Amino acid sequence: MSASLREPTATPLVSPGAATALLDAYRPGSDRFLASPHHTLLGRGAAADIPHDTRPLTWRVRAVLNARRRAGAPAPVVVGSVPFAPASPHSLVSPQSVQWAPPLCEDPLTALPGPLPEEGTDWQVREVPEPERYGRAVADAVKRMRSGEFTKVVLARTLELTAPDEPDLPAMLSRLARRDPAGYTFAVPSGPGRTLIGASPELLVARTGGRLTANPLGGSAPRSPDLAEDVRRAAALLESPKDLHEHAVVVDAVQEALTPFCTFLQVPERPTLVRTAAMWHLSTTVTGELADPDVTALELATALHPTPAVCGTPTEVARAVIAESEPFDRGPYTGMVGWQDADGDGEWVVTIRCAEAEGRSLRLFAGAGVVAASSPEAETAETGAKFRTFLDAVGASL
């Protein structure tokens, strides 16, 4: 296990197959599943909801965790998702019970094949907005950036998938997790009758004791099944002026947000690469030592959210452009999903490569960072490549 995140204050399952056992035990409804490179977590039931009121969210979470600890809960945590829009309702609870296991990437059983997508599912696919309209929004944003209005905006589009029957969410989650076992896989309720499910490559922030880790991504390229071409794309991404600029905007914002909390913050000068089954991403791992050990993981996450990787810069201008350009409500997409314990430790992940399931429908989300050097064709293609993570998991195609 990485030294950057200690084991939570609960007895983990340690036998081979423990992580996949939690994955296989997940059931939609009241279960909450989160897997990271450090832990696998399965929460069941709801001992306490995080209330919606005028107090800061971090205060409400702290109050619930402290109350549960005083009531004798041995290792209470809060689990769930926070949406992109500040005024939208979150979906956070303290589960009745929580099981922990080592990470999926250390479980040898993840190498076994998971359940295949159901053959013959007649998925009806609707693109919102249509690629042509999305391309026009990108072109308009580029024009405004070149005139100096703002520096970057992340524009998203969705795929609305409808099947004759309700999709098998546990099987879908299993396929997502087995495809990228070293990533961040999640399935949590996101509202009445709705489930947020996905496999994100991006850690917003983790906190353990006095140490924090953030892993901003920005700048992407689709993978290729041909090894030589895949390597060429990775090497080109590392040298792409457009993508390096996009990445630098994100890293600078993360550094600016985290510096006030730290006595020491280490930010590498150049990015490296992280890969998923579908994409290459420019990646920078930021580490720091907290000046105040009482600052919680969620406080750090809310200070960072939303980063330019999912919104843009300046933030409020980018939010306005998103509202003007996207003909849908993002809901939990590009928010954050994760957990925090009563000591303030936790992991919060950027909610990307995800879908929201409701009845027979799935809404898939994908976005691309638009800067002055962007082109409508390239950004439309990038969102199409990012949809592959989920389309492969459900056996659908564009």
Side-chain angles (χ1 to χ4, degrees), residues 199-368:
S200 175
E202 185 169 2
L203 172 68
L204 183 62
V205 68
R207 181 265 205 192
T208 179
R211 187 171 179 82
L212 68 83
T213 304
N215 185 206
L217 306 183
S220 306
R223 302 287 305 276
S224 171
D226 178 79
L227 178 59
E229 174 61 16
D230 197 42
V231 172
R232 188 199 68 77
R233 292 182 184 182
L237 181 61
L238 277 172
E239 301 299 328
S240 164
K242 178 262 183 186
D243 290 288
L244 288 170
H245 168 67
E246 180 184 339
H247 187 76
V249 169
V250 179
V251 173
D252 289 348
V254 168
Q255 182 174 6
E256 182 179 357
L258 292 179
T259 294
F261 294 99
C262 296
T263 57
F264 169 77
L265 193 68
Q266 183 174 16
V267 183
E269 291 186 4
R270 285 188 60 84
T272 57
L273 289 173
V274 65
R275 66 183 179 184
T276 68
M279 301 293 295
W280 288 105
H281 299 281
L282 293 177
S283 165
T284 295
T285 299
V286 176
T287 56
E289 299 292 335
L290 291 173
D292 180 357
D294 289 332
V295 171
T296 67
L298 186 56
E299 287 176 284
L300 295 169
T302 54
L304 286 167
H305 173 67
T307 72
V310 297
C311 182
T313 186
T315 302
E316 292 311 312
V317 178
R319 278 192 187 276
V321 174
I322 288 168
E324 296 165 8
S325 305
E326 295 178 357
F328 56 87
D329 182 351
R330 287 191 177 188
Y333 172 65
T334 60
M336 51 188 176
V337 60
W339 64 273
Q340 180 178 296
D341 67 18
D343 293 325
D345 287 343
E347 295 173 286
W348 294 94
V349 178
V350 181
T351 312
I352 53 177
R353 309 297 186 277
C354 63
E356 197 168 28
E358 183 174 15
R360 297 183 296 109
S361 299
L362 287 171
R363 171 171 275 187
L364 282 58
F365 300 88

Side-chain angles (χ1 to χ4, degrees), residues 358-386:
E358 183 174 15
R360 297 183 296 109
S361 299
L362 287 171
R363 171 171 275 187
L364 282 58
F365 300 88
V370 181
V371 294
S374 294
S375 72
E377 297 78 15
E379 306 309 342
T380 304
E382 181 176 322
T383 55
K386 289 174 177 176

Side-chain angles (χ1 to χ4, degrees), residues 68-316:
R68 289 212 65 211
R69 177 179 269 177
R70 288 193 301 269
V77 299
V78 161
V79 182
S81 68
V82 177
F84 172 71
S88 297
H90 61 73
S91 183
L92 294 171
V93 305
S94 184
Q96 186 68 45
S97 66
V98 177
Q99 291 178 277
W100 296 90
L104 281 168
C105 57
E106 295 179 6
D107 190 330
L109 297 189
T110 58
L112 299 177
L116 295 174
E118 294 183 24
E119 293 186 7
T121 300
D122 184 19
W123 287 103
Q124 301 298 314
V125 181
R126 177 172 173 256
E127 299 181 73
V128 180
E130 300 83 0
E132 295 77 13
R133 180 176 172 184
Y134 179 79
R136 289 195 298 271
V138 171
D140 181 64
V142 167
K143 181 179 178 181
R144 293 171 66 179
M145 279 184 280
R146 290 177 178 173
S147 70
E149 282 191 53
F150 52 96
T151 305
K152 176 184 176 180
V153 66
V154 178
L155 295 181
R157 61 190 184 106
T158 71
L159 298 181
E160 295 180 355
L161 275 61
T162 306
D165 301 300
E166 290 192 14
D168 186 341
L169 297 186
M172 195 182 300
L173 180 68
S174 181
R175 289 191 291 272
L176 287 168
R178 292 173 187 275
R179 194 165 188 240
D180 283 311
Y184 300 88
T185 307
F186 51 88
V188 298
S190 55
R194 299 194 302 276
T195 299
L196 176 66
I197 182 169
S200 175
E202 185 169 2
L203 172 68
L204 183 62
V205 68
R207 181 265 205 192
T208 179
R211 187 171 179 82
L212 68 83
T213 304
N215 185 206
L217 306 183
S220 306
R223 302 287 305 276
S224 171
D226 178 79
L227 178 59
E229 174 61 16
D230 197 42
V231 172
R232 188 199 68 77
R233 292 182 184 182
L237 181 61
L238 277 172
E239 301 299 328
S240 164
K242 178 262 183 186
D243 290 288
L244 288 170
H245 168 67
E246 180 184 339
H247 187 76
V249 169
V250 179
V251 173
D252 289 348
V254 168
Q255 182 174 6
E256 182 179 357
L258 292 179
T259 294
F261 294 99
C262 296
T263 57
F264 169 77
L265 193 68
Q266 183 174 16
V267 183
E269 291 186 4
R270 285 188 60 84
T272 57
L273 289 173
V274 65
R275 66 183 179 184
T276 68
M279 301 293 295
W280 288 105
H281 299 281
L282 293 177
S283 165
T284 295
T285 299
V286 176
T287 56
E289 299 292 335
L290 291 173
D292 180 357
D294 289 332
V295 171
T296 67
L298 186 56
E299 287 176 284
L300 295 169
T302 54
L304 286 167
H305 173 67
T307 72
V310 297
C311 182
T313 186
T315 302
E316 292 311 312

